[in-house]
Amino acid sequence: MNKLLSIVSLSVLFLWVSGCKEPVIDEGVLPFSEPATVDPSGGNWRTIVLKSTGDISVPQPDAITSDAYKSEFAQVKNGVASLEPEKITAINYWAVGGVTRWNQIARQLVAKYNTESGNPLDATNSPASAPFAARLYAALSVAQYDALVVAWRAKYQYNRPSLVDQGVITRAPVANVPSYPSEDAAVAEVSCQMLAYFFPNEAPWLKTKAAEHKQSRIWNGANVSSDIKGGEAIGAAVTTKVVDRLKTDRFSTANDPNNTWTTLLAKAPYDVKWTSLIIPTRPPILPLAGKVKTWFDSTAIAKNLSAAPPATTSASFQKDLTEVRTMADARTRDQSRIAAKWDDGTGTYTIPGHWNMITEEFIHQYRQNELRAARTYALVNRALQDGGTACWATKFTYFVPRPSQIDPTIKTATIISNTPGYTSEHATFASAATAVLLYLFPDEATTLNAQLTEATLSELYGGTSFRFDNEAGAKLGTAVGTIAVESAKADGAK
Amino acid sequence: MRFIPFTFVAIVLLSLARQTHAQGLVDGFMRGDRKANLGISYSQETYDSYYINKTQTRDPNLGTVTSQAVNLYGSFGLGYDLDLIVSAPYIRTESNAGYRQKQEGFQDISAALRWEAYDYKFGKARLSWLFAIGYSMPLQNYINDDLIAIGRGSKNLDGRTMLHFKSGPFFLTGQYGYIRRGQVTLDHVVNYYDPDQLNSNSGSKVNVPDVTELIIRTGIVTKPLYVDAWFQQQTPYGEGTNIAPGIPFPTNAVGFSRVGATVYLKVVGQLGLTAGYSTTLDGQNIGKSTRVTGGLVIGRIAR
């Protein structure tokens, strides 16, 4: 009888265990809080693509004493009292911050479309490589920022009181700023349209997201529908201006449709020329991405481009080659970990996306409002894109081989990027982003410098670049980041 | 969810492995009270094509992947109806094309308790009903997110039941089990894309899909000789992912069916030799591998 009991209880336990299915990934929960500042003078901050906020006119809203407003207001106020669970989920999702959420959505889409190499069934270069992603993140955050500066200007010009000041208790915390036009609607519209420009196939999904974002503000008790309409109009108008810039930034030919890179390769002033290490070989990733129009002073950036690296016959090259080989032969577990952590290859947010993720942590930690968050992203992402552009310009000037091309016994911890190694893209992106983040978050220097060091060395640990690739990349990135910081100092914020 | 393994462990501490045991860690033969055997084996497993989901593919940048393993295995009779089985492998995996670094190290230690719950006799034939529960955990912090990783790094709990029939030298064993696999931490943050994912910043922890396992084994056993043929099928339980750029390998739903055979020959005294062969019939997110094994056994392999 005892035996029977044990069998029964074991079977029950067995069935119980097998009855629980797990999700693939556990999601963290982001806390939300009221922004630390409201930046009432934000409407005077310098815009990026717009010549001034005057480029876009925002009509005067109805007075709060008007019948139209009263009826809108009553609807919102009554709505907050009775919310279905799915509405609460939407409120909580977007209350984390529209700028942040759309940046996350952008990163997820980049990861989805960033399928270059890796998968042998798909032998084409990815449409979403690092230069593509850097440009997308920059365009998105610039558009968000310009739209928000326009929104802020109108907010404090018309001063329609916030709903909180009119006695509405919001479900999730909001910035107490004038409610017209809605900053969230501006962000939702501009983000949705910008991302649809980059990923036209995702347009229907993006529209659903944007509609939910806008609606969540009404459910939350933060905005009435005319606030939303005002914001929406700003978003649409700014998109047009940013898309105009994108059409003339020379990125459309970055993938080099006429294969001019082979001519550049023949002319390259380096003694051993780069070849693709992928089997079968493929054209490099976006060979002309170095010619893309920069966001910051192009003359200043051009002055900082890297000089020629040491020739393969030089003693200093041989020293660096020996270093990579020695490291690859006895790679520690920690070196493999660092290489993997910063790899950001196919199927990921890419390297610029990784730095957006790092930026997001600080935006949260410092409880930046929507406008300030957008400024942070716009600065970091323009520096990232310009850093990438300068890096690509260098790569496709010198065509320096990767270590494994010189010595095939060098095994790598990560897949070798299908681009010349000099300068290292990891080091360049990391230094450009860190220079800006150090300016924005000076108290985080310890954390930031630790990350910078790891990211800069990651390719050396992984066996995919030489120390001189990293050092030149770090120098180049820092130079571009510094140019970005100088520009930031004069944009009226702070 | 995490308290379930704890409950299991609290009942009794034990275990069971995968991968290195082509035919499962536990068979239907009880060791016998205070009897023991100890085996050391070398195996080599190769594949030059693998399954992305269930589509067979080759990657010229990977070439042929070879895994060599040295495995220590022991079983001890704690009582006439209770055995303890322990195993630990050292593995080296490398590919012959491209520039991937080889992976090498101790994989997972596994231990299982096997209990013969019922024993029926029909004349000279015997039918026994057995249960086993096992636990396995990585022996070291090896790389778990790579196409040629030596393991997935999860801690696993395994529960299974077996029916074992023996008549004269002939035997037939069927077993069915469920392997619960714990979370693993990757070296990087997950960028996995899922439209239903609420927060994209999900950190580095991912879940490894659980599997169910069916093994059927038959053969003959005499004092100096043991021969078997077996079929093993692992099926992912729960959705999991498929091999693709950026998808963490541990989250892939892994399944396969394999067939194989084992031979044991007693050489002298307590010493015997074993040899084995197995091949993959089909799979899901796994290499289509073939394995050969050779080993030394002290004490009988089965009785």
Side-chain angles (χ1 to χ4, degrees):
Chain A
M1 198 59 213
N2 264 346
K3 227 172 213 183
L4 190 65
L5 205 67
S6 349
I7 289 171
V8 169
S9 51
L10 264 176
S11 313
V12 166
L13 203 59
F14 180 73
L15 285 172
W16 178 37
V17 170
S18 53
C20 312
K21 291 207 181 186
E22 293 171 317
V24 172
I25 292 171
D26 281 352
E27 293 178 29
V29 177
L30 288 175
F32 31 73
S33 48
E34 198 176 332
T37 60
V38 293
D39 290 314
S41 63
N44 300 324
W45 294 2
R46 194 177 66 203
T47 49
I48 300 164
V49 169
L50 302 179
K51 285 190 190 70
S52 77
T53 48
D55 284 8
I56 288 163
S57 64
V58 185
Q60 182 156 5
D62 292 335
I64 57 167
T65 47
S66 68
D67 287 344
Y69 185 82
K70 279 181 185 158
S71 114
E72 283 182 340
F73 181 81
Q75 268 178 16
V76 172
K77 198 168 182 182
N78 296 336
V80 177
S82 54
L83 286 168
E84 290 87 349
E86 55 276 21
K87 291 183 179 171
I88 295 171
T89 307
I91 291 169
N92 291 347
Y93 175 82
W94 292 104
V96 166
V99 168
T100 295
R101 285 302 191 194
W102 284 102
N103 186 275
Q104 291 178 352
I105 290 168
R107 279 187 266 139
Q108 288 188 317
L109 289 176
V110 164
K112 180 180 177 184
Y113 286 91
N114 170 19
T115 54
E116 174 262 325
S117 76
N119 184 354
L121 297 180
D122 174 20
T124 53
N125 273 335
S126 159
S129 55
F132 171 96
R135 175 174 177 255
L136 177 149
Y137 296 133
L140 173 68
S141 28
V142 162
Q144 289 174 337
Y145 171 78
D146 273 8
L148 283 168
V149 176
V150 174
W152 240 254
R153 179 152 197 112
K155 275 176 186 293
Y156 286 92
Q157 181 188 345
Y158 299 126
N159 251 320
R160 180 186 264 188
S162 70
L163 275 65
V164 176
D165 284 349
Q166 299 179 67
V168 177
I169 295 163
T170 58
R171 173 128 200 137
V174 294
N176 194 357
V177 292
S179 75
Y180 176 89
S182 158
E183 67 272 34
D184 281 78
V187 169
E189 191 60 28
V190 85
S191 307
C192 160
Q193 290 200 20
M194 286 309 301
L195 291 175
Y197 173 78
F198 287 99
F199 301 112
N201 292 343
E202 300 289 341
W205 180 69
L206 290 164
K207 276 183 190 147
T208 322
K209 279 277 186 199
E212 184 196 80
H213 182 189
K214 292 169 198 163
Q215 203 58 46
S216 78
R217 296 293 289 182
I218 294 177
W219 294 331
N220 191 20
N223 289 107
V224 299
S225 49
S226 55
D227 297 338
I228 302 289
K229 284 204 186 70
E232 223 169 40
I234 296 172
V238 170
T239 308
T240 317
K241 306 269 183 186
V242 177
V243 167
D244 283 347
R245 186 195 184 275
L246 290 174
K247 282 179 182 159
T248 57
D249 72 354
R250 295 189 288 272
F251 191 88
S252 57
T253 52
N255 67 348
D256 198 3
N258 303 319
N259 270 319
T260 58
W261 69 275
T262 50
T263 322
L264 294 173
L265 179 73
K267 284 195 297 194
Y270 196 66
D271 58 339
V272 177
K273 308 275 197 275
W274 173 85
T275 57
S276 169
L277 296 179
I278 299 177
I279 312 165
T281 58
R282 272 181 223 172
I285 296 167
L286 301 173
L288 302 184
K291 302 200 184 300
V292 172
K293 193 160 123 190
T294 57
W295 291 99
F296 298 111
D297 186 349
S298 58
T299 324
I301 293 172
K303 268 188 213 152
N304 284 287
L305 286 183
S306 313
T312 55
T313 47
S314 68
S316 81
F317 181 93
Q318 289 301 323
K319 188 175 130 256
D320 283 7
L321 176 63
T322 309
E323 184 186 19
V324 181
R325 190 193 299 120
T326 313
M327 210 170 260
D329 287 347
R331 191 173 285 126
T332 65
R333 179 68 186 85
D334 212 42
Q335 287 169 344
S336 289
R337 177 189 65 78
I338 291 168
K341 177 178 167 187
W342 296 98
D343 179 33
D344 300 311
T346 49
T348 70
Y349 302 155
T350 71
I351 311 165
H354 194 153
W355 287 97
N356 273 265
M357 192 168 75
I358 290 168
T359 304
E360 181 187 317
E361 287 168 28
F362 295 126
I363 286 174
H364 270 275
Q365 194 180 326
Y366 287 86
R367 295 190 290 127
Q368 292 195 333
N369 62 47
E370 291 292 88
L371 175 62
R372 207 164 261 280
R375 174 176 179 260
T376 300
Y377 275 130
L379 280 169
V380 171
N381 283 320
R382 279 179 295 157
L384 278 166
Q385 195 194 342
D386 284 2
T389 303
C391 175
W392 250 250
T394 315
K395 281 180 185 296
F396 292 93
T397 300
Y398 301 108
F399 289 90
V400 175
R402 299 274 176 178
S404 299
Q405 184 186 332
I406 307 279
D407 179 354
T409 65
I410 292 174
K411 301 295 178 190
T412 62
T414 60
I415 287 179
I416 304 166
S417 300
N418 195 28
T419 56
Y422 182 82
T423 63
S424 147
E425 60 270 36
H426 288 78
T428 315
F429 281 127
S431 300
T434 305
V436 175
L437 289 169
L438 282 170
Y439 165 70
L440 294 170
F441 307 102
D443 294 346
E444 304 300 325
T446 317
T447 317
L448 281 165
N449 284 321
Q451 285 177 322
L452 175 64
T453 309
E454 264 198 6
T456 305
L457 286 170
S458 65
E459 274 197 275
L460 176 62
Y461 291 158
T464 58
S465 79
F466 299 106
R467 190 175 282 276
F468 67 78
D469 293 331
N470 297 336
E471 285 174 350
K475 204 173 146 206
L476 178 59
T478 307
V480 174
T482 309
I483 294 166
V485 168
E486 288 312 312
S487 162
K489 283 177 182 165
D491 73 359
K494 216 23 173 206
Chain B
M1 222 54 78
R2 241 153 279 154
F3 68 94
I4 295 169
F6 178 74
T7 315
F8 244 42
V9 176
I11 294 170
V12 60
L13 190 69
L14 28 126
S15 122
L16 209 111
R18 58 193 189 95
Q19 194 167 351
T20 45
H21 310 285
Q23 71 283 36
L25 179 64
V26 178
D27 64 16
F29 291 96
M30 292 302 291
R31 187 65 20 229
D33 193 15
R34 278 178 287 173
K35 295 266 171 42
N37 80 353
L38 187 66
I40 181 164
S41 65
Y42 168 84
S43 64
Q44 181 164 316
E45 183 171 356
T46 58
Y47 67 87
D48 59 7
S49 69
Y50 61 97
Y51 298 94
I52 293 181
N53 194 358
K54 291 175 179 171
T55 310
Q56 198 176 334
T57 182
R58 278 166 206 267
D59 182 353
N61 295 286
L62 189 66
T64 301
V65 177
T66 305
S67 286
Q68 297 165 286
V70 173
N71 191 39
L72 270 174
Y73 170 98
S75 66
F76 315 94
L78 301 174
Y80 81 96
D81 63 350
L82 191 67
D83 286 344
L84 172 67
I85 300 153
V86 181
S87 151
Y90 185 90
I91 304 183
R92 177 190 297 148
T93 302
E94 51 200 321
S95 61
N96 71 351
Y99 299 93
R100 281 184 171 80
Q101 65 179 345
K102 73 173 181 217
Q103 309 284 343
E104 179 169 357
F106 285 101
Q107 196 212 32
D108 303 341
I109 185 162
S110 316
L113 274 183
R114 173 172 54 196
W115 174 42
E116 190 179 47
Y118 277 116
D119 187 6
Y120 307 96
K121 286 195 176 70
F122 316 96
K124 285 192 171 174
R126 267 184 64 181
L127 177 70
S128 42
W129 186 12
L130 304 97
F131 290 87
I133 43 177
Y135 183 76
S136 71
M137 58 181 283
L139 277 167
Q140 66 179 69
N141 176 24
Y142 54 77
I143 293 167
N144 56 21
D145 188 18
D146 195 290
L147 197 53
I148 59 167
I150 61 171
R152 275 185 288 174
S154 60
K155 292 173 179 170
N156 310 307
L157 265 161
D158 182 310
R160 58 186 61 216
T161 184
M162 278 167 279
L163 276 177
H164 180 64
F165 175 79
K166 188 164 181 288
S167 174
F170 172 81
F171 74 91
L172 175 68
T173 316
Q175 59 171 288
Y176 186 77
Y178 179 83
I179 304 171
R180 181 159 189 81
R181 296 187 167 145
Q183 280 192 322
V184 298
T185 304
L186 308 175
D187 287 340
H188 59 93
V189 170
V190 184
N191 292 177
Y192 176 65
Y193 170 81
D194 176 358
D196 297 330
Q197 216 175 313
L198 272 184
N199 289 327
S200 55
N201 296 345
S202 39
S204 308
K205 276 199 176 157
V206 295
N207 291 314
V208 183
D210 301 348
V211 293
T212 57
E213 184 172 77
L214 171 74
I215 301 173
I216 295 162
R217 189 195 319 264
T218 184
I220 52 166
V221 54
T222 66
K223 248 188 171 171
L225 180 74
Y226 167 93
V227 182
D228 77 14
W230 51 263
F231 169 83
Q232 176 189 24
Q233 180 158 44
Q234 273 198 4
T235 311
Y237 183 84
E239 218 169 290
T241 55
N242 296 314
I243 298 174
I247 301 292
F249 285 104
T251 63
N252 289 330
V254 168
F256 57 82
S257 48
R258 280 189 189 135
V259 288
T262 319
V263 178
Y264 161 88
L265 194 63
K266 187 174 147 184
V267 181
V268 56
Q270 290 289 302
L271 197 67
L273 292 173
T274 61
Y277 173 86
S278 74
T279 190
T280 307
L281 298 177
D282 63 35
Q284 185 178 355
N285 301 311
I286 198 169
K288 185 171 169 36
S289 63
T290 298
R291 179 202 312 248
V292 290
T293 311
L296 271 176
V297 181
I298 304 167
R300 292 182 62 182
I301 189 171
R303 61 187 66 234

